[in-house]
Amino acid sequence: MPRPLWTGVISFGLVTIPVKIVSATEDHDVHFHRVHLTDMGRVRTRKVCEIGDQVVSQDEIGKGYEVSKDETVAVTDEELEQMPLPTAKAIEIVAFVDADTIDPVRISDSYYLAVDGQVAAKPYTLLRKALERSSKVAVAKFAWHGRERLGLLRIREGAIVLHSMKWPDEVRDPQELAPRAVEVGEEEIEQALQLADRMTIEDLSGFRDEYRQALEDIIAAKADGMPLPSPDEGEEKKAGEVVDLMAALNASVKAAKESRGEDRDGKDATVHEMRPAKKTGGRTAPAKKKAASSKTTTDTTASASSRAKKSTGKKTAAKKRTAS
């Protein structure tokens, strides 16, 4: 069991459930030290008081709020803990809502809530079953790291999970980021939907952090005095290169089908014609329609037949002159 980050109770009406908060995730990032490149000595941050220009220890450092330019007041951890908040040591459930009404952008860190003692087992199970049968999530308020926060309680594999949430006024309005209005054809939308369907999976456990793996390989090679791993060879897309959207979608659908072994009969994904692009240097001309291709084939066959008749006529005339 990981070390508890917080202890308190879940307040559910008149029911209280003693719980401990433990982190629901682990940090697998590769962390670096700051070093002096000349001798690899650690470079550390010195905490210096700007008035006396002296290094201070951690137990001499506290919180202060600047009331004005010339006045700062100190606020101690004990004063923060004794604030008259009902959520100071409680996760107070204030409402229940349908899960699909919660905007995912508001969800932040995740924590598991573990029972704190055997006395908490029954009320913990009661809340868990109530959430499971109602198919709802609980909205709660709690104090965390010096401020009151909004939280979300839901069930994950029999455990109650607490998600910290952003307050409504902490979420920026995305309207200013939306792109200008553009026209998207129905064929393009259908191809995008087909691609999404081909890429749909049910299990995300197969994904891994390739950047961390590559970074660990570099560190291992440098530690052993070996050459650094070479990057994978492949064509890199030039920045800002304009592509044919429909062609890219068609190619993506075909690649997704082949990766799943669904294109063994050799049939390509359906290709919808777009307006022919202007011919530029280094680009191949767009493919012609099948009707045009059929006409070309017919014309070529007719020309070949005509040439064959003329050749036969010439040979017959030559034989008659020889006989005469």
Side-chain angles (χ1 to χ4, degrees):
M1 175 70 70
R3 182 178 63 86
L5 305 175
W6 181 92
T7 58
V9 299
I10 298 176
S11 175
F12 176 33
L14 298 179
V15 178
T16 57
I17 310 170
V19 293
K20 298 179 290 186
I21 290 181
V22 297
S23 179
T25 59
E26 294 179 322
D27 180 12
H28 289 169
D29 288 346
V30 177
H31 298 279
F32 295 99
H33 294 307
R34 292 182 299 173
V35 297
H36 184 202
L37 295 177
T38 302
D39 53 17
M40 290 295 121
R42 288 283 298 276
V43 176
R44 302 181 183 274
T45 301
R46 301 175 65 212
K47 300 176 181 178
V48 180
C49 175
E50 64 180 16
I51 296 178
D53 194 24
Q54 59 182 3
V55 178
V56 295
S57 60
Q58 184 60 42
D59 58 0
E60 296 178 279
I61 300 174
K63 297 181 177 67
Y65 183 83
E66 186 176 339
V67 179
S68 63
K69 185 177 180 181
D70 300 321
E71 182 182 3
T72 300
V73 296
V75 180
T76 66
D77 292 335
E78 291 76 14
E79 291 170 338
L80 293 175
E81 292 176 357
Q82 295 173 6
M83 284 192 304
L85 281 177
T87 57
K89 293 295 290 183
I91 301 171
E92 182 184 7
I93 295 177
V94 294
F96 289 85
V97 298
D98 293 328
D100 57 6
T101 63
I102 300 298
D103 187 348
V105 77
R106 294 183 59 183
I107 296 178
S108 186
D109 297 325
S110 303
Y111 306 92
Y112 287 131
L113 298 182
V115 293
D116 191 6
Q118 186 58 36
V119 69
K122 186 171 183 177
Y124 185 99
T125 304
L126 173 65
L127 177 58
R128 186 193 70 196
K129 289 186 177 296
L131 289 172
E132 288 174 338
R133 293 191 183 184
S134 66
S135 299
K136 296 183 182 295
V137 294
V139 177
K141 296 170 68 176
F142 64 104
W144 183 255
H145 291 172
R147 57 174 294 194
E148 189 173 58
R149 298 177 184 268
L150 200 60
L152 184 71
L153 300 180
R154 69 176 184 89
I155 306 302
R156 183 178 189 272
E157 298 180 3
I160 300 177
V161 182
L162 169 66
H163 300 287
S164 62
M165 295 177 61
K166 300 291 184 183
W167 294 95
D169 59 357
E170 292 180 315
V171 179
R172 292 175 177 154
D173 186 355
Q175 291 299 320
E176 61 185 24
L177 306 176
R180 61 182 178 81
V182 295
E183 292 185 3
V184 179
E186 286 299 322
E187 293 178 350
E188 294 170 324
I189 297 175
E190 288 299 325
Q191 282 295 82
L193 291 174
Q194 186 176 354
L195 176 59
D197 182 63
R198 296 293 179 184
M199 295 178 65
T200 299
I201 62 175
E202 297 181 357
D203 185 12
L204 298 178
S205 61
F207 290 102
R208 61 189 182 92
D209 186 349
E210 296 183 6
Y211 178 87
R212 178 169 62 91
Q213 182 61 54
L215 187 57
E216 290 176 347
D217 292 343
I218 289 176
I219 293 173
K222 291 181 72 69
D224 295 338
M226 303 293 291
L228 297 183
S230 58
D232 292 336
E233 295 182 359
E235 295 183 1
E236 294 185 1
K237 187 174 182 57
K238 296 181 180 178
E241 182 180 350
V242 179
V243 299
D244 184 330
L245 180 58
M246 184 58 75
L249 285 170
N250 285 332
S252 299
V253 171
K254 181 181 178 183
K257 292 173 69 174
E258 290 177 346
S259 67
R260 291 182 172 222
E262 299 177 7
D263 198 29
R264 295 174 183 175
D265 57 356
K267 295 182 180 180
D268 294 343
T270 303
V271 178
H272 300 277
E273 282 295 326
M274 297 184 67
R275 293 179 180 177
K278 293 182 179 180
K279 187 175 181 180
T280 57
R283 296 186 181 179
T284 57
K288 296 181 180 180
K289 295 184 178 179
K290 290 183 177 180
S293 177
S294 299
K295 184 178 183 304
T296 302
T297 304
T298 304
D299 292 344
T300 303
T301 305
S303 299
S305 177
S306 177
R307 288 194 298 271
K309 288 180 179 180
K310 290 181 180 180
S311 177
T312 303
K314 289 179 180 180
K315 290 181 179 179
T316 302
K319 288 181 178 180
K320 288 181 178 181
R321 287 195 298 272
T322 304
S324 300

